[in-house]
Structure formats: structure tokens, C-alpha cells
Amino acid sequence: SFFAPPFSLLGQGALQRLGNVVSESGAKRCLVVSQTKHLRDEDEKDVLKRLCKELFDAGTDAFIFSDVELNATTENVAAALLMAYEYDVDSIISAGGGSAHDVAKAVRALYRNPEQDAVQELVGVDEIAAGWIPAVPHFAVSTCMGACSALTRLAVITDPLHQETLEIVDWRITPSVSCDDTLLMLEQPREIIAAAGVESLAHACEAFLSNASTPVTDANALHAIRLLSSYLRAAVTSTPKDTKALDMINYGMFLAGVSFNSAGLGLSHAIANALCAKYINLLSSELLAVMLPHVLEFYGEQSEEMNDDAAELFVDLAEAMGCPKTSSPASAVKCVVQSVARLVSDVELPQTLSEVNARQ
Amino acid sequence: SFFAPPFSLLGQGALQRLGNVVSESGAKRCLVVSQTKHLRDEDEKDVLKRLCKELFDAGTDAFIFSDVELNATTENVAAALLMAYEYDVDSIISAGGGSAHDVAKAVRALYRNPEQDAVQELVGVDEIAAGWIPAVPHFAVSTCMGACSALTRLAVITDPLHQETLEIVDWRITPSVSCDDTLLMLEQPREIIAAAGVESLAHACEAFLSNASTPVTDANALHAIRLLSSYLRAAVTSTPKDTKALDMINYGMFLAGVSFNSAGLGLSHAIANALCAKYINLLSSELLAVMLPHVLEFYGEQSEEMNDDAAELFVDLAEAMGCPKTSSPASAVKCVVQSVARLVSDVELPQTLSEVNARQ
């Protein structure tokens, strides 16, 4: 199976093109879900202002819910849902990283849904009430890099009362339109671009090596790997910023996200998630940078012992990373591991767990 | 921009998995749109029987509209729409090639749409009434190979009264779920598989070379070209039929379709369409097989005169077709043209216009 947003706006100026799409959708009263209250950065708040200008020009009223926590909570969903009913909205926009999109997805799944009224009832795979179609369209605007929630069928919501993490997986909560504007990336600090780029490389590699991969997810993952391997150095290190390289990184992140949305993830995410749960002040994307070369080496060793098909995957992976053409899986594994380690080092991300610790 | 079905079922046994999806969607009364009345082939009718069994097992009643013409007409849409209202359906399934899907798309856009009630009002790009959301889900099952309508935002309907071809382009008529089952391809004659494979190769090449291509459409087009170039010979010539090769061709066709859905098509389709409009008994897919090598040669000559970026595209195209690695655009063009011509000849499709004529 393959899951994707039905309509994606990508590249430079995507945010501006969103105005037209919102207008065509006939949105008159829009719930805007964001984390603005918690942002210290004026640039981030500025994106929300620009978004509201696009809505205004499209003839749409915006009702702003800006209280989403850094980790989205069931309370956030309940409060935003109340606001949606109060203002009788006909559309939802989320602007931000994963948490804003996740709250918007849960609100959309509950809004005007006569059979379900709490996040807990949606938990699991395809547990939205049978036959229910989302009542309003959802436009998801990414302002944080690499947070692929704008284009996936997943929402992760924390229940602070029961100290639980609730996961909703349902193709019907895939946003109607995702929007990834490269111009917003221009404003990000270099270390954020580096971390998001390597995080996406991990998404793509793990999706490609996953047991659930298909040729459709492979197409997306391999091209993501090609773009991220070729352009991440220039995107991070060039002065002034290299707009073409950033554009390619933006597309690479999209392709990586679409690919793991269907094929799933693997060990480096499992390890990073486990460590993050235990040591709350570690950064998941930095952990991924540390883990990825080791995990790829482990997968490589496993696959050589397993069978030819699994080993063959590393030949394709090596080619996508720009390694010299080879038909030997062993040398492909070696080149893949070295290429990733070199990239992590070149974009100045940590290479050992002690470095991650030292930065906290 | 990038457009795709939100949920695609692909590969061997996809039709069986559709039962679950229909059941989760809560469909109780389904309009089934097909061309069965016009099919001479019992195998095709058999697919409809299997589909109805899936619906029955899912607890869904099927109301079958089997009158779609070989070229879908406005009269077909009006009659099917009447049936949808008469039986108060809550879902639509189309099973067949382009025409069945196109009728279903138009019916879905009009059904319970208070502002529009005829195909003519939908013609153009995104002309469905602002703010209107499809009232029911649409499941599109491909039974003909290479007819990518099951996964696009396009519907082409003929108006026999005014002798016009009406084109609807709207992301909201992309089917909710597309279903391409390789097992249905096993039953197709070899010459149909060959023609559909080369048609998809033309889709992918033209989308990749299109001015509207993006790295996302490139990812899909290049992998489609890789799969179709590697597996079409085995899919057409192996005895007994090579299930793995057919599976890869099925995925290749999907990727090619998704890629042109966003990036558009080019010259070989323009020429084939013009010739088909004039000489009604020519087969579009056979014309494409004749035109494709010449059109690629023409594009190659143009791109060499234009700029480095355009010429560079042929280096990637050549690599996807399995040519020896080269950095010379001129030798890449030469290898691409020869590879396509050889493939057309190996799968025994016509290579000259007179051969196409001779077959009629």
C-alpha cells in the first residue's frame, strides 16, 4: 500500500500559492492551529502573520489557536476542538512542526464526527468511525524542517493525565494539502538544516531497507537519498545561503517523508526514541546522526548473512549515495557507512554519544 | 505541485485487500461503474463478479451501471448519476479502463453537489464549485493495463451532441483509493502487456523531460523507467508468465502515471492523439511505440542546442535505462534512443507507421 497527501505544494514560494488553493476550497472561516505562544523566535511568529495575510487576501477569516505545547497534548486537542465549534469553522490550517499538525489532525478527525468525541477513541490503525469522511479540509504548512507530519497519516498526542503517548494512524487524517516552502528554510540556522537533513536521510534509508518497502516507496526513498547526499553540504555550509541546494533538500525531505509514511522506519529511530524517552534533554535528530552509520553497518552485516536480495539493496543504496559503481554487496555496505559518517562529520553534527551529552 | 491518490493498493492480491478498505469506509450502498455490457471477453466480466463478491463479503450492496461506452460520454454520466440518486448510494467503485473511471469521477463531482449538475459546468482546471468536498468516497479498480485514470485528477468525457471532448482537471476528483492488482494482469494477452508497458515508458519519459517536472515527479518517472526497461521483456516473453516481472511492470505503470499526473506529457502523446483523432481505427499505444524513439531523438537534439541542464537530463535518463555510465549528453541521447527502439522491437510492437496501418 502507498499513502500520500492528495495535493502537495512544494518549492520556493509555495506559501504564496496556498492563498489560491484556500480560496478555491471556499474556506470562509478557518481554524489556524499553531505553537506561537511557545515560540521565542520572532521569525516563527512572522510566518504566522504572513499566513494570515494569505488567508485575508483569499477572503477567509482566521481564528488562531496558538497554545499547542512543544509535545501536543489531549488538552490541546480538546481546547482547539472547542474553538472550532465555537467559531463554526469550515477549514483547518496548521502551521509549525509536528505538534501543530498532529493537533490539527486530531481536531479534524473529531470535528462534526457524531460517533467519536475524544482522541482516545481514535487510537490505533484506521480506528476512525467506519464510513466517516473528514468534514472539513486540512491545509498543513511546515515551518520547521524535517517534521514530516504535514504529509503523513500519523498523529502522536500525549495524554498528560495518564502519562501515555497516543498514536493515531489513519489514511483519512492525511492533510488535504501539504505546503513546504523553501523560502521558510532560508531563515533557519545552519545546525537545524544539518540535523533535519540527516534525520531525513535516516527516514529514507530505513524506509528503503524496511520489510514493508515496495518499488513505489523505493522510488521516493532512493531519490531522497540522492538529493540529500548531493546537496546537504552546500545547503549547510554555503555563504550566502545556496537557494538551489536548499530547494533540493526540501524536495529530498518530502520524498523521505512520503516514503516512510508507507514503508515505516527502523532501528536508528527505535534507538533514538528509546534514549529520548529516558534522557529527556537529548535531541532526537542529533541521536539519529550518531546512530545512523552504526545501524547501517549492522543492517549491512545482517543482510550479507541473510540472502542475496537483501544484500543487493546496499548496491542500490551505494549508487544513490554517489559511491563508485560496484556489484559487491560487501564493498557497497562499506561505502554507504563511510559516506554517511563523512556527511555527518562535514555538516558538523555530533558523531559520538558523549558529544551529544556535552552539548546539552 | 504534486498530486497523488491518498491511498493506493498495489501488487499481487490488491483486489482482495480492497474488501477490508471498503468495509472500513462503512460503504453500505455502492454504485459500481463498468463497461461490462460492451465487453466481449468473459475474463473481464469475471473481474466484476469477483469485485462484487468482495463487496458482498464487506456487507455492501452493489448497484451495477454497466453501460459505459468505449469512450465515456456525457449521456453515460447522466444515466449513472440518476442511478446514484435512485439508489441513494454512499460510495462509488469503478472497475475497468479509463472510461469507467472517468464516468465515476464525473458522477462523484456532481452527486449531492448543490451548485453543479452537468459535466459541462466542471470543464477546465479546478472548476468544481469552491468549497465543495466530494460527498462519497471513490474506489477505482484497474482491470485494463496502463490506463492510469484510476490514479489521476483527470476525466475525459465526450459530448456526442456537440461532438466535443470535455476535459475535467481537479485534484478533488482524484479517486480516494486506487487498486492495481498484478493478478489481473496475468490474464492479459502478451501484446496488450507490451503495448501498455511502452505506453507507460512514454508517460514516464515525457513527464521527466517536461518543463513542469520537479524532483518529486523525477523520482517517480526515473524509477518507472528503471522498472519498465528492466522487466518488460521478461513480462512479455516468459513462458509460463513471470509473476515477478509483471509485478514490477505494474509498479512501473503506477509510478509513470503518478509522475505525468503532476508533470504532464509531451510530443509523442500530442502526435498520437492527433493521428488517433484523424484516423479513428489506429491504436494510441501502438502509435506511441512508433513515435517514442523519434520524439526522444528530437528532444535530445533540442536539449543539446539549449543548455547544459536540459542535456544533463539525458544522462540521468540513460542511466535509468541501464546504459553504460557516461557524462556525455550526446552519447546518452544515442543510447536512450537505441534502447527504446530495441525494446519496442524485442516486445514485437510496430516500428513504422505503415506497420500500424497494416495491422488495422
Side-chain angles (χ1 to χ4, degrees), chain A residues 37-101:
Chain A
K37 205 180 85 176
H38 300 277
L39 297 175
R40 279 162 299 181
D41 191 338
E42 282 306 311
D43 279 348
E44 288 277 338
K45 294 189 184 174
D46 197 46
V47 172
L48 194 69
K49 276 188 208 146
R50 276 185 268 168
L51 179 63
C52 289
K53 188 186 171 304
E54 292 299 330
L55 290 179
F56 182 79
D57 291 347
T60 306
D61 284 339
F63 304 96
I64 300 175
F65 180 85
S66 59
D67 294 352
V68 177
E69 310 285 338
L70 291 180
N71 285 313
T73 67
T74 45
E75 287 160 5
N76 293 157
V77 175
L81 183 62
L82 203 66
M83 192 163 165
Y85 280 119
E86 193 174 347
Y87 292 101
D88 189 27
V89 303
D90 57 15
S91 48
I92 302 177
I93 292 193
S94 51
S99 303
H101 304 310

Side-chain angles (χ1 to χ4, degrees), chain A residues 102-119:
Chain A
D102 287 355
V103 168
K105 286 174 184 176
V107 169
R108 184 178 181 225
L110 297 170
Y111 184 55
R112 297 183 187 162
N113 177 344
E115 293 185 45
Q116 288 165 317
D117 52 22
V119 177

Side-chain angles (χ1 to χ4, degrees), chain A residues 222-297:
Chain A
L222 285 174
H223 208 63
I225 292 165
R226 230 169 268 139
L227 294 173
L228 295 165
S229 304
S230 311
Y231 292 101
L232 190 60
R233 281 180 190 83
V236 172
T237 59
S238 298
T239 311
K241 280 193 180 155
D242 180 336
T243 316
K244 186 187 168 193
L246 281 169
D247 224 11
M248 294 300 117
I249 294 304
N250 192 10
Y251 282 111
M253 289 177 178
F254 177 87
L255 287 165
V258 165
S259 132
F260 89 71
N261 187 37
S262 300
L265 292 168
L267 267 187
S268 37
H269 279 84
I271 297 171
N273 291 351
L275 285 172
C276 277
K278 191 153 183 190
Y279 305 101
I280 198 157
N281 58 348
L282 297 181
L283 272 180
S284 162
S285 53
E286 290 199 339
L287 284 171
L288 283 173
V290 174
M291 298 314 308
L292 190 57
H294 301 287
V295 164
L296 287 172
E297 193 164 14

Side-chain angles (χ1 to χ4, degrees), chain A residues 1-4 6-10 17 24-26 126 130-131 133 135 137 171 176-177 215-216 219 223 226 251 254-255 319, chain B residues 1-4 6-10 17 24-26 126 130-131 133 135 137 171 176-177 215-216 219 223 226 251 254 319:
Chain A
S1 309
F2 183 69
F3 304 91
F7 187 173
S8 305
L9 286 164
L10 291 160
R17 286 186 285 143
E24 280 160 11
S25 86
D126 295 336
I133 301 173
W171 64 280
S176 325
V177 179
V216 180
H223 208 63
R226 230 169 268 139
Y251 282 111
F254 177 87
L255 287 165
E319 204 177 328
Chain B
S1 307
F2 183 69
F3 304 91
F7 188 173
S8 306
L9 287 164
L10 292 159
R17 287 186 285 143
E24 279 159 13
S25 85
D126 294 336
I133 301 172
W171 65 279
S176 324
V177 179
V216 180
H223 208 63
R226 231 168 268 137
Y251 282 112
F254 177 86
E319 205 177 328

Side-chain angles (χ1 to χ4, degrees), chain A residues 82-345:
Chain A
L82 203 66
M83 192 163 165
Y85 280 119
E86 193 174 347
Y87 292 101
D88 189 27
V89 303
D90 57 15
S91 48
I92 302 177
I93 292 193
S94 51
S99 303
H101 304 310
D102 287 355
V103 168
K105 286 174 184 176
V107 169
R108 184 178 181 225
L110 297 170
Y111 184 55
R112 297 183 187 162
N113 177 344
E115 293 185 45
Q116 288 165 317
D117 52 22
V119 177
Q120 283 78 358
E121 300 168 47
L122 310 172
V123 172
V125 178
D126 295 336
E127 290 293 333
I128 293 182
W132 186 79
I133 301 173
V136 295
H138 172 197
F139 309 91
V141 180
S142 296
T143 64
C144 293
M145 295 175 52
C148 293
S149 176
L151 44 97
T152 68
R153 62 191 168 117
L154 292 134
V156 181
I157 312 279
T158 304
D159 177 353
L161 192 62
H162 303 94
Q163 293 189 310
E164 272 181 314
T165 301
L166 308 175
E167 287 197 25
I168 312 170
V169 184
D170 199 304
W171 64 280
R172 286 164 292 181
I173 59 167
T174 311
S176 325
V177 179
S178 74
C179 176
D180 286 274
D181 193 331
T182 311
L183 298 179
L184 300 181
M185 288 174 58
L186 275 169
E187 296 157 14
Q188 301 277 356
R190 290 170 199 280
E191 57 272 23
I192 298 286
I193 298 175
V198 171
E199 186 170 3
S200 290
L201 190 63
H203 287 158
C205 290
E206 300 202 347
F208 179 68
L209 297 172
S210 149
N211 288 334
S213 74
T214 69
V216 180
T217 53
D218 291 351
N220 290 280
L222 285 174
H223 208 63
I225 292 165
R226 230 169 268 139
L227 294 173
L228 295 165
S229 304
S230 311
Y231 292 101
L232 190 60
R233 281 180 190 83
V236 172
T237 59
S238 298
T239 311
K241 280 193 180 155
D242 180 336
T243 316
K244 186 187 168 193
L246 281 169
D247 224 11
M248 294 300 117
I249 294 304
N250 192 10
Y251 282 111
M253 289 177 178
F254 177 87
L255 287 165
V258 165
S259 132
F260 89 71
N261 187 37
S262 300
L265 292 168
L267 267 187
S268 37
H269 279 84
I271 297 171
N273 291 351
L275 285 172
C276 277
K278 191 153 183 190
Y279 305 101
I280 198 157
N281 58 348
L282 297 181
L283 272 180
S284 162
S285 53
E286 290 199 339
L287 284 171
L288 283 173
V290 174
M291 298 314 308
L292 190 57
H294 301 287
V295 164
L296 287 172
E297 193 164 14
F298 174 77
Y299 278 134
E301 284 162 9
Q302 294 289 308
S303 70
E304 280 171 57
E305 288 166 21
M306 271 162 48
N307 60 52
D308 288 350
D309 279 358
E312 210 55 51
L313 291 177
F314 275 85
V315 173
D316 292 337
L317 205 54
E319 204 177 328
M321 287 188 186
C323 294
K325 197 157 188 158
T326 173
S327 55
S328 144
S331 60
V333 170
K334 202 171 156 195
C335 182
V336 164
V337 173
Q338 284 175 348
S339 302
V340 173
R342 206 177 316 121
L343 183 62
V344 168
S345 152

Side-chain angles (χ1 to χ4, degrees), chain B residues 30-357:
Chain B
C30 187
L31 179 70
V32 178
V33 177
S34 82
Q35 299 173 281
T36 331
K37 204 180 85 175
H38 298 278
L39 297 175
R40 277 162 300 181
D41 191 338
E42 282 307 312
D43 279 349
E44 288 277 338
K45 293 188 186 175
D46 196 47
V47 171
L48 195 69
K49 275 188 209 145
R50 275 185 268 169
L51 179 63
C52 288
K53 186 184 172 307
E54 291 300 329
L55 290 179
F56 181 79
D57 291 347
T60 306
D61 284 337
F63 304 96
I64 300 175
F65 180 85
S66 59
D67 294 354
V68 177
E69 310 285 337
L70 291 180
N71 285 314
T73 68
T74 46
E75 287 160 3
N76 294 157
V77 174
L81 183 61
L82 204 66
M83 192 163 164
Y85 281 119
E86 193 175 345
Y87 292 101
D88 190 27
V89 302
D90 57 15
S91 48
I92 301 177
I93 291 193
S94 50
S99 302
H101 305 310
D102 287 356
V103 167
K105 286 174 183 176
V107 169
R108 183 177 182 226
L110 297 170
Y111 184 56
R112 296 183 188 162
N113 178 345
E115 293 186 43
Q116 289 166 317
D117 51 24
V119 177
Q120 282 80 359
E121 299 168 48
L122 310 172
V123 172
V125 178
D126 294 336
E127 290 293 332
I128 293 181
W132 186 78
I133 301 172
V136 293
H138 172 197
F139 308 90
V141 181
S142 295
T143 64
C144 293
M145 296 175 50
C148 294
S149 176
L151 44 97
T152 67
R153 60 191 168 117
L154 293 132
V156 180
I157 310 281
T158 304
D159 176 353
L161 192 63
H162 303 92
Q163 292 190 312
E164 272 181 314
T165 301
L166 308 175
E167 286 196 27
I168 312 170
V169 184
D170 199 303
W171 65 279
R172 287 165 291 182
I173 59 169
T174 311
S176 324
V177 179
S178 73
C179 176
D180 286 275
D181 193 331
T182 311
L183 298 180
L184 300 181
M185 286 173 59
L186 276 170
E187 296 157 14
Q188 301 277 355
R190 290 170 199 279
E191 58 271 23
I192 298 286
I193 298 174
V198 171
E199 185 169 5
S200 290
L201 189 63
H203 288 157
C205 290
E206 300 202 347
F208 180 68
L209 297 171
S210 149
N211 289 333
S213 73
T214 69
V216 180
T217 53
D218 292 351
N220 291 280
L222 285 175
H223 208 63
I225 292 165
R226 231 168 268 137
L227 294 173
L228 294 165
S229 304
S230 312
Y231 292 101
L232 191 60
R233 281 180 191 82
V236 172
T237 57
S238 298
T239 310
K241 280 192 180 158
D242 179 336
T243 315
K244 189 191 167 190
L246 281 170
D247 223 12
M248 294 301 116
I249 295 303
N250 192 10
Y251 282 112
M253 287 177 179
F254 177 86
L255 288 165
V258 165
S259 134
F260 89 71
N261 187 37
S262 300
L265 291 169
L267 269 187
S268 36
H269 279 83
I271 297 171
N273 290 350
L275 286 173
C276 278
K278 193 154 180 189
Y279 304 100
I280 198 159
N281 57 349
L282 298 181
L283 271 180
S284 163
S285 53
E286 290 199 338
L287 283 171
L288 284 173
V290 173
M291 299 313 309
L292 190 57
H294 301 286
V295 164
L296 287 171
E297 191 164 17
F298 174 78
Y299 278 134
E301 284 163 9
Q302 294 289 308
S303 71
E304 280 171 56
E305 288 167 19
M306 272 163 46
N307 60 52
D308 288 350
D309 278 358
E312 210 56 52
L313 292 177
F314 275 85
V315 173
D316 292 337
L317 205 53
E319 205 177 328
M321 286 189 187
C323 295
K325 199 159 188 156
T326 172
S327 55
S328 145
S331 60
V333 170
K334 202 172 154 194
C335 182
V336 165
V337 173
Q338 283 174 350
S339 302
V340 174
R342 205 176 317 120
L343 183 62
V344 169
S345 151
D346 288 351
V347 298
E348 297 183 3
L349 287 173
Q351 294 176 275
T352 63
L353 280 179
S354 57
E355 278 181 78
V356 176
N357 251 325

